[in-house]
Amino acid sequence: MLTLQNSGLSDALVILGAAGLVIPAFARFRISPVIGFILVGALVGPSALGALVGQNPWLYYLTISDVHSIEPFAEFGIILLLFSIGLELSFRRLWAMRTLVFGVGAAELLGAGLILAGAFYLTGLSTGGSIGLGLALALSSTALVVPIAGTTSAVGRAAFAMLLFEDLALVPIIFMLGALAPSAGDAGMWGLLRTLGAGVVTVAVLFVGGRFLLPRMFAQAARTKSPELFLAASLLVVIVASLATAAAGLSPIVGALIAGLLIAETEYHGEVEAITAPFKGLALGVFLITVGMRLDLSFVAQNWGSLLGATMLVMLVKVAVTMGLLKISGARTGTAAETGVLMASPSETTLIVLGVAGAAGLIAPATGAFWTTVTAIGLTATPLLAKAGQLVSRLIERGTSGESSDPAIDQVVPGAVIIGFGRVGRTVADMLQRHDLPFLAVDADIDNVNAARREGYTVLFGDVTRTELVDQLRLGHARALILTMDDPVLTVRLAKRVRAWVPDLPIIARARDAAHAAELYRAGVTDAVPETLESSLQLSEAVLVDLGMPVGPVIASIHEKRDEMRKSIRLAAGIERDPRIRRVRLGKAAE
């Protein structure tokens, strides 16, 4: 019979309670839940509330009694993360990244590792200990960096390529440290060679077997139309692939990545990704809690100066090496800087390498404990580093892509000004060009700006949250302002500001929904176009017609519904006229 005295049940309740509190609370304030999970781990861990259970038994129900009991779940979270990354990739894309992976990735790991190792050697650490510690701290966190940066942006692609090489290099690093151990002989190097040989064979078997078996297995699961069976098949593939690479001596995360790549080549990858996502998120939260538990708060308080200095040393070396290598490989300065800052902190795998180095006798237990704390501090700071990297990138790009490379605003014929040049802004620009109407677009994403300029669009790089940039747009001479940003709060704020400056300027804004449209009308826009309303009406029209309803009554009911929406927005906005939410038919437009 399970009771709350059962440590497994009690720990599970603490973890689920933390997830239920941390995720919505930190999302409310637009803060990454990563920090929340790590802080919860530090709070309920053995160095904080857990140390008080003896004096206050009721704290047993709010703490995790056995740290090691939840570590397998944390490792499974990382495995599922690498599996999901594999689902987003393809063999063609992976092959296209080979230069970044085995060129920049290898140079980044070895370069940062050797520089750090040299610094440690100068402090009196042994050669083997310096190499082990340097390589351990040169690793960066796949579990945190990839969810933050993704794998499709310029920063995400560069970071993922380097992280992928680090994951592949983890097992050779571990075996190398074993070979460097004072008690090791030639057996350590032979063990490394045997592992690499077995790993190559195992990976080849997984690729060949997966190509033939996975499509058939998932087809059978899909025919049952049972989500449970589909989930079981997905988890089975991940577990078998991870166990196979682990049995061969490689890291289980390599098997998880291969499993994701193989499923990505099938037509079932979307369903697999959706059905495994909740498990990945929860397991990753468990991993972050275990990271927080490694923070000894009393040790941090007593040694905060040396810990801060050590953390800054590691981060500065990694930023310099990563940024320099990416610049050499041809990346933009802003992209290189943002990637370098994002990759600056150590990794969850740093903890594994530190443990191996300690077990091999290369570093003393006190040294391992110190750098374990540094690693936990660095992991906690990763979301903050991401924000800092974005800020640094914007400052650099503003300086290098400023007045000299942007189209001169004074030379642009006064016309429409489009703020936001994503999917919607580009469509508006195309329609203005079709009718020979001049325009100037503004966007804060330098990659979007450069791509648009190459295609012949007049686009200015800039951040419209800066008042001086909006002043330079000469909106008093513009014929219209079109706001297409995917940021409802910024859209409302900018509409209010411009309306106060230019009372007669037509302002047309993209709205999320009816409530956002009403808020924009109150802010002073001329027209707010809700992107969801018209699409929902068109969808309803198609459904009704396909269900056999006569076209005439269907169109009449759609018009009635559109009128109801207009009236509701008018009442909510407090305006006298009905807003424009209608779809012009080609037949009527031609009349």
Side-chain angles (χ1 to χ4, degrees):
M1 177 179 175
L2 287 176
T3 68
L4 286 181
Q5 297 301 321
N6 181 290
S7 62
L9 179 59
S10 176
D11 294 347
L13 291 176
V14 171
I15 293 169
L16 293 175
L21 292 174
V22 166
I23 294 176
F26 278 68
R28 173 67 178 82
F29 297 101
R30 297 186 178 183
I31 302 175
S32 171
V34 168
I35 298 176
F37 278 118
I38 294 178
L39 292 179
V40 166
L43 183 64
V44 304
S47 66
L49 293 179
L52 304 176
V53 172
Q55 296 85 356
N56 303 276
W58 60 272
L59 286 175
Y60 171 83
Y61 306 109
L62 300 177
T63 59
I64 296 179
S65 56
D66 185 1
V67 176
H68 299 291
S69 67
I70 67 172
E71 287 181 347
F73 299 100
E75 295 172 4
F76 189 55
I78 299 174
I79 287 173
L80 284 178
L81 174 67
L82 267 294
F83 174 65
S84 66
I85 292 171
L87 287 174
E88 297 173 1
L89 294 173
S90 64
F91 291 114
R92 183 181 304 172
R93 185 180 170 197
L94 202 58
W95 178 253
M97 295 172 61
R98 64 189 183 279
T99 302
L100 269 176
V101 174
F102 297 102
V104 178
E108 184 270 337
L109 176 62
L110 295 176
L114 290 177
I115 291 174
L116 290 171
F120 296 137
Y121 183 77
L122 293 177
T123 64
L125 200 62
S126 67
T127 302
S130 299
I131 293 174
L133 198 53
L135 290 175
L137 295 169
L139 299 168
S140 299
S141 176
T142 303
L144 299 186
V145 171
V146 171
I148 291 173
T151 60
T152 56
S153 66
V155 173
R157 287 193 299 271
F160 174 67
M162 290 183 282
L163 290 167
L164 181 57
F165 180 83
E166 291 177 4
D167 291 334
L168 294 173
L170 177 60
V171 171
I173 288 174
I174 291 173
F175 272 89
M176 183 185 68
L177 295 181
L180 292 174
S183 59
D186 294 336
M189 189 57 64
W190 280 112
L192 173 61
L193 295 176
R194 282 197 304 270
T195 299
L196 291 178
V200 170
V201 173
T202 302
V203 170
V205 171
L206 287 175
F207 274 123
V208 175
R211 287 280 192 173
F212 289 99
L213 296 178
L214 289 185
R216 294 170 174 80
M217 184 179 74
F218 280 107
Q220 291 296 329
R223 289 189 184 99
T224 65
K225 298 183 179 180
S226 170
E228 293 80 8
L229 183 58
F230 212 90
L231 173 61
S234 304
L235 294 178
L236 177 64
V237 171
V238 180
I239 293 170
V240 168
S242 299
L243 289 176
T245 53
L250 298 177
S251 171
I253 62 178
V254 175
L257 181 67
I258 292 173
L261 281 168
L262 290 170
I263 295 178
E265 299 295 322
T266 71
E267 57 184 314
Y268 307 102
H269 65 93
E271 180 69 15
V272 172
E273 185 176 2
I275 207 166
T276 57
F279 296 89
K280 177 192 70 176
L282 182 59
L284 189 57
V286 177
F287 158 71
L288 296 171
I289 289 176
T290 62
V291 170
M293 289 180 179
R294 296 175 184 269
L295 281 172
D296 187 336
L297 300 181
S298 61
F299 180 78
V300 172
Q302 295 168 7
N303 302 274
W304 66 269
S306 56
L307 288 170
L308 180 61
T311 304
M312 293 301 298
L313 168 67
V314 172
M315 289 183 176
L316 288 175
V317 169
K318 294 177 70 174
V319 168
V321 172
T322 303
M323 185 176 175
L325 289 171
L326 287 176
K327 279 294 295 177
I328 293 173
S329 68
R332 295 185 59 86
T333 304
T335 300
E338 183 176 351
T339 307
V341 175
L342 179 62
M343 297 273 290
S345 62
S347 168
E348 62 279 356
T349 51
T350 298
L351 304 173
I352 299 174
V353 178
L354 288 176
V356 172
L362 297 174
I363 58 175
T367 303
F370 178 86
W371 289 105
T372 294
T373 304
V374 169
T375 301
I377 293 173
L379 286 169
T380 307
T382 301
L384 303 179
L385 292 174
K387 295 293 183 184
Q390 293 171 2
L391 178 61
V392 170
S393 175
R394 288 177 183 175
L395 292 175
I396 291 175
E397 295 295 354
R398 189 177 298 166
T400 58
S401 301
E403 302 295 335
S404 60
S405 59
D406 280 327
I409 296 177
D410 292 337
Q411 298 175 4
V412 176
V413 179
V417 175
I418 305 171
I419 296 182
F421 206 70
R423 168 180 50 86
V424 178
R426 186 175 291 246
T427 301
V428 173
D430 289 339
M431 296 307 298
L432 291 172
Q433 284 184 332
R434 183 168 297 186
H435 293 277
D436 297 322
L437 294 173
F439 70 90
L440 170 67
V442 183
D443 198 276
D445 188 325
I446 189 63
D447 295 323
N448 275 354
V449 171
N450 290 331
R453 287 178 186 169
R454 286 194 294 268
E455 296 175 22
Y457 294 100
T458 305
V459 186
L460 171 72
F461 170 75
D463 185 356
V464 292
T465 59
R466 295 189 296 122
T467 305
E468 58 271 23
L469 175 66
V470 181
D471 289 340
Q472 293 175 9
L473 295 177
R474 301 190 304 157
L475 294 177
H477 301 280
R479 296 180 59 183
L481 173 65
I482 302 102
L483 305 176
T484 68
M485 307 94 72
D486 190 20
D487 186 337
V489 176
L490 177 59
T491 305
V492 172
R493 187 187 310 135
L494 188 58
K496 285 182 180 178
R497 186 194 310 167
V498 174
R499 178 55 72 215
W501 292 343
V502 193
D504 299 326
L505 176 68
I507 303 176
I508 301 92
R510 167 191 180 188
R512 284 276 182 90
D513 49 29
H516 186 216
E519 189 177 5
L520 285 168
Y521 278 114
R522 290 193 295 269
V525 304
T526 310
D527 285 299
V529 182
E531 60 185 13
T532 58
L533 297 188
E534 192 59 46
S535 60
S536 64
L537 290 174
Q538 292 183 42
L539 179 63
S540 301
E541 180 180 333
V543 169
L544 292 170
V545 171
D546 288 344
L547 290 176
M549 298 295 294
V551 176
V554 167
I555 294 177
S557 65
I558 294 295
H559 286 321
E560 290 174 2
K561 185 63 178 176
R562 187 179 289 112
D563 289 338
E564 292 175 9
M565 291 178 173
R566 279 199 291 256
K567 290 176 182 177
S568 65
I569 295 175
R570 184 188 67 189
L571 293 174
I575 58 178
E576 296 182 357
R577 63 178 178 82
D578 285 340
R580 297 180 186 174
I581 51 169
R582 66 175 181 272
R583 180 164 56 92
V584 178
R585 293 181 176 276
L586 292 177
K588 291 185 177 182
E591 291 177 0

